[in-house]
Amino acid sequence: MMSDIQAVQARLVDDINAASDLDTLEALRVAALGKAGSITALLKTLGGMSPEERQAQGPRIHALRESVTTAIASRKAALDAAALDVKLAAEAIDMTLPAADTPRGSVHPVSQVMDELAEIFADMGFAVATGPEIEDDWHNFTALNIPETHPARAMHDTFYFPDANADGQKMLLRTHTSPVQIRTMMTQEPPIRIIAPGRVYRSDSDATHTPMFHQVEGLVIDRGIHMGHLKWTLETFLKAYFERDDIVLRLRPSYFPFTEPSAEVDVGYKQEKGRRIVGGNGDDEGHAWMELLGSGMVNRRVIANCGLDPDEWQGFAFGVGVDRLAMLKYGMDDLRAFFDGDLRWLSHYGFNALNVPTLSGGISA
Ligand code: DAH
């Protein structure tokens, strides 16, 4: 009996240690310790033994069960650890490998155009300035020579906040980027050359108007600045932006409270396959003029409002819609799609995040 038990134990433990997977191990467990298992059967024989026999065999059989149970547990732990190692090895990511998939994510056309603008104007010595989108009435209107009673205020469809600020100023979402002119002149010594791209807000919505849109403001303040500087700057900018030399501008007299004189700038274009292609003289056969931006010589009163002497400092300013510039260059037709967040639209019109606009590389390469 004693050697029987030892033989059973040796065979079972060998089998357990040789089990190559969890299923085999489980089968061995059931065969030994299950209801009809060999060790269970041995345990049952205890009931038919004499007390002396039972005293002798009991501890042996229990020890057998104990050692088989321990062997199964340690084999199971070993098999579990090996399975985990295999799983980890299969899921390992080598961070040093190049991206296997095509890169996800793209640059929104508006961001791309703002980067292009910054690049083009940096080449002409312009810095990028920013201002708050939540503005006060003074910076957005009054300082720009648009007093309380001015009809231009009604034209701007302004989103006002219900409460005034600590100075009793009405607060609003800026209706244009022109307040950045004021903030720049108040904080920087001339000469000044800046562009200010950013979001602006008006209570207006249809196929060509969204309540939020983008503008870029331009401002130059120096001695002896005149309209010729303005026209050259706009021409140079638009040639670089549209990547063609045949850009022809037409300056039309206009009115803005913050510029005097003011000019609306039109650009010649041609209609091709339902798309406006910028270029050529608007008066030429097959061409027409399209209104593109507002501009002018900074009004003396605006310069004085910022604490500068208008007899010493002159300048020009302009403001243009960035979304409009993007639509014209990249052939998009519905402004609302810009802000829908539709991934299909973005994957069609979006830009590779790694292709940063540079003048040397081609601004939209
Ligand atoms: N702020 C004007 C608007 O949003 C655009 C504009 C016109 C800006 C003439 C200028 C300018 O700087 O000189 O309608």
Side-chain angles (χ1 to χ4, degrees):
M1 184 73 186
M2 163 95 183
S3 58
D4 266 8
I5 289 180
Q6 279 176 337
V8 168
Q9 177 168 347
R11 189 167 38 81
L12 271 174
V13 171
D14 277 353
D15 285 351
I16 288 166
N17 287 338
S20 58
D21 56 63
L22 291 167
D23 287 344
T24 310
L25 188 63
E26 176 64 7
L28 286 168
R29 189 190 67 77
V30 170
L33 302 168
K35 255 194 194 138
S38 53
I39 294 175
T40 312
L42 275 175
L43 282 165
K44 279 181 188 158
T45 63
L46 287 173
M49 289 179 189
S50 65
E52 297 75 31
E53 236 183 331
R54 191 181 307 131
Q55 213 165 35
Q57 295 304 328
R60 294 207 180 97
I61 298 174
H62 281 291
L64 167 64
R65 188 176 63 171
E66 193 60 35
S67 73
V68 167
T69 305
T70 309
I72 288 174
S74 76
R75 185 62 191 153
K76 183 171 186 312
L79 287 174
D80 281 344
L84 184 62
D85 282 346
V86 168
K87 192 164 179 245
L88 285 177
E91 289 175 1
I93 296 172
D94 182 349
M95 302 298 279
T96 64
L97 288 175
D101 221 347
T102 45
R104 298 280 178 92
S106 58
V107 176
H108 193 281
V110 170
S111 303
Q112 169 82 6
V113 167
M114 295 213 280
D115 289 348
E116 292 175 4
L117 297 176
E119 180 72 13
I120 293 168
F121 278 100
D123 195 51
M124 292 192 270
F126 286 64
V128 172
T130 55
E133 289 171 30
I134 297 176
E135 259 300 3
D136 58 58
D137 192 84
W138 189 81
H139 286 94
N140 194 79
F141 290 126
T142 312
L144 286 160
N145 196 37
I146 314 175
E148 198 90 47
T149 53
H150 200 284
R153 288 213 183 192
M155 278 163 48
H156 277 213
D157 302 310
T158 312
F159 287 115
Y160 284 99
F161 286 89
D163 298 321
N165 72 3
D167 303 328
Q169 282 268 338
K170 268 194 271 181
M171 299 301 286
L172 47 84
L173 291 176
R174 69 178 179 190
T175 58
H176 51 177
T177 44
S178 302
V180 185
Q181 288 188 36
I182 304 300
R183 291 187 174 274
T184 306
M185 281 190 272
M186 308 264 305
T187 53
Q188 288 178 28
E189 293 288 317
I192 289 168
R193 264 183 275 180
I194 57 118
I195 58 163
R199 297 191 177 108
V200 301
Y201 302 84
R202 290 183 203 178
S203 175
D204 206 351
S205 191
D206 58 40
T208 52
H209 297 88
T210 49
M212 186 280 298
F213 58 104
H214 299 82
Q215 288 188 333
V216 61
E217 194 80 10
L219 175 70
V220 167
I221 299 286
D222 206 334
R223 296 183 175 90
I225 296 294
H226 54 72
M227 295 283 281
H229 296 122
L230 167 65
K231 190 169 187 227
W232 179 87
T233 302
L234 291 177
E235 241 165 41
T236 306
F237 148 52
L238 291 169
K239 282 178 184 175
Y241 176 73
F242 286 108
E243 296 175 271
R244 50 194 299 164
D245 275 329
D246 63 344
I247 299 291
V248 184
L249 298 184
R250 181 176 77 174
L251 270 63
R252 244 180 324 108
S254 182
Y255 173 77
F256 299 103
F258 31 88
T259 44
E260 180 57 36
S262 302
E264 207 106 45
V265 178
D266 300 338
V267 63
Y269 75 96
K270 194 164 77 181
Q271 193 86 21
E272 253 177 42
K273 296 187 194 114
R275 230 188 106 174
R276 290 180 171 194
I277 308 293
V278 170
N281 187 319
D283 289 331
D284 282 354
E285 177 82 37
H287 287 72
W289 296 109
M290 147 172 65
E291 190 183 310
L292 196 60
L293 55 90
S295 66
M297 300 303 296
V298 180
N299 193 309
R300 294 174 56 87
R301 302 171 75 155
V302 172
I303 293 176
N305 285 343
C306 296
L308 298 174
D309 177 1
D311 288 329
E312 183 177 4
W313 302 108
Q314 299 79 44
F316 67 77
F318 60 88
V320 51
V322 174
D323 317 288
R324 182 86 193 292
L325 284 177
M327 290 171 86
L328 275 174
K329 181 162 168 180
Y330 297 108
M332 299 133 176
D333 52 13
D334 190 342
L335 180 63
R336 286 169 299 194
F338 275 66
F339 311 117
D340 279 348
D342 185 334
L343 282 176
R344 290 164 304 177
W345 186 86
L346 259 182
S347 67
H348 183 69
Y349 286 116
F351 292 87
N352 185 325
L354 302 176
N355 261 343
V356 178
T358 60
L359 287 174
S360 54
I363 205 74
S364 54

